[in-house]
């Protein structure tokens, strides 16, 4: 098991906070950097792993690839602000060891970190629940129309808007502000979405939507 960690995040406060949590769990922080380019002249050996945080979904797989090109034997763990199914696949294809959604609580997050440090591949735990409950069909990013399964869910246009917001990781308060409705209305929509998709929580709803080709940018006017 690796105990040495190198953090990469453009936010210094995030690096400090995450570093302190990792230290409290017995990990040793051997480096903390704001960008991958800052690692060009560094040589840490091979007995450590990277944690990448604060990288937008569209740049995560490229970031993993850059690190694997430079440190090919070093495990890389992505901390993502929200879940995106296709991005997760691309990260693993680029060589990532783990893909962890940051909304996870500290204890399970550290458990996931330990698994990655032990050489295990780590995926979001809610992904398993969604696969058990739903028929899964991979959808390409280039698909222009939602999958028929999305249509069969019979979500209203406003429920689709709320679902897109859930994919973006928004809280009820933020969703209410984005859609110009009250929080109570958002709660009603979220409850209806969970029922129609046959999932247990917001994360599972986001995974369900992402795995079926929906984008968090597909908002209705």
């Amino acid at each position: 098991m690796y105990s040495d960690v190198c953090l990469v995040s453009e936010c210094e406060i995030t690096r400090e906070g995450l570093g302190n949590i990792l230290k409290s769990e017995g990990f040793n922080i051997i480096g903390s950097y704001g960008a991958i380019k800052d690692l060009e002249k560094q040589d840490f050996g091979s007995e450590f792993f990277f944690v990448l945080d604060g990288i937008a979904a569209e740049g995560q797989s490229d970031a993993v690839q850059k690190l694997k090109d430079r440190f090919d034997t070093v495990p890389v763990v992505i901390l993502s602000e929200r879940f995106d199914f296709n991005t997760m696949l691309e990260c693993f294809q680029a060589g990532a060891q783990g893909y962890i959604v940051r909304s996870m609580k500290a204890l399970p997050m550290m458990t996931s970190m330990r698994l990655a440090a032990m050489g295990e591949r780590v995926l979001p735990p809610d992904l398993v629940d969604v696969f058990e409950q739903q028929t899964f069909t991979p959808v390409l990013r280039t698909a222009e129309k939602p999958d028929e399964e999305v249509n069969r869910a019979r979500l209203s246009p406003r429920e689709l808007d709320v679902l897109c917001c859930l994919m973006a990781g928004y809280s009820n308060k933020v969703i209410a502000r984005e859609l110009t409705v009250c929080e109570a209305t958002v709660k009603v929509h979220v409850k209806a979405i969970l029922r129609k998709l046959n999932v247990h929580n917001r994360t599972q709803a986001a995974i369900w939507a992402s795995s079926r080709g929906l984008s968090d940018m597909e908002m209705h006017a």
Side-chain angles (χ1 to χ4, degrees), residues 175-194:
I175 295 174
R177 184 170 65 246
E178 288 290 321
L179 302 183
T180 319
V181 296
C182 65
E183 284 191 60
T185 299
V186 174
K187 291 179 181 179
V188 171
H189 287 316
V190 170
K191 185 176 181 179
I193 290 168
L194 299 185

Side-chain angles (χ1 to χ4, degrees), residues 70-144:
R70 173 72 172 80
F71 305 89
D72 61 324
T73 63
V74 177
V76 179
V77 175
I78 286 283
L79 285 183
S80 183
E81 183 69 27
R82 61 181 178 83
F83 178 87
D84 184 280
F85 183 81
N86 289 296
T87 296
M88 181 190 70
L89 289 183
E90 291 172 358
C91 285
F92 281 114
Q93 289 167 354
Q97 189 70 30
Y99 182 94
I100 301 172
V101 180
R102 291 181 68 240
S103 59
M104 183 183 293
K105 293 182 179 179
L107 181 57
M109 180 184 291
M110 288 302 106
T111 300
S112 297
M113 289 284 190
R114 290 187 182 282
L115 287 172
M118 294 171 64
E120 300 291 335
R121 284 199 168 188
V122 178
L123 290 80
D126 285 314
L127 189 61
V128 177
D129 296 330
V130 172
F131 284 176
E132 287 178 345
Q133 297 172 27
Q134 306 291 338
T135 301
F136 169 66
T137 302
V139 182
L140 297 177
R141 281 186 183 277
T142 55
E144 295 181 355

Side-chain angles (χ1 to χ4, degrees), residues 145-191:
K145 296 181 180 180
D147 188 89
E148 291 182 0
E149 194 171 356
V150 176
N151 293 330
R152 287 199 299 271
R154 297 185 180 279
L155 297 174
S156 70
R158 184 54 88 191
E159 287 168 351
L160 282 171
D161 287 342
V162 174
L163 181 56
C164 289
C165 289
L166 294 181
M167 293 173 67
Y170 293 166
S171 66
N172 285 351
K173 182 178 292 186
V174 174
I175 295 174
R177 184 170 65 246
E178 288 290 321
L179 302 183
T180 319
V181 296
C182 65
E183 284 191 60
T185 299
V186 174
K187 291 179 181 179
V188 171
H189 287 316
V190 170
K191 185 176 181 179

Side-chain angles (χ1 to χ4, degrees), residues 26-41:
F27 289 100
N28 177 41
I29 309 302
I30 62 172
S32 180
Y33 299 90
I36 293 176
K37 64 181 181 179
D38 298 333
L39 294 162
E40 292 179 357
K41 297 181 180 180

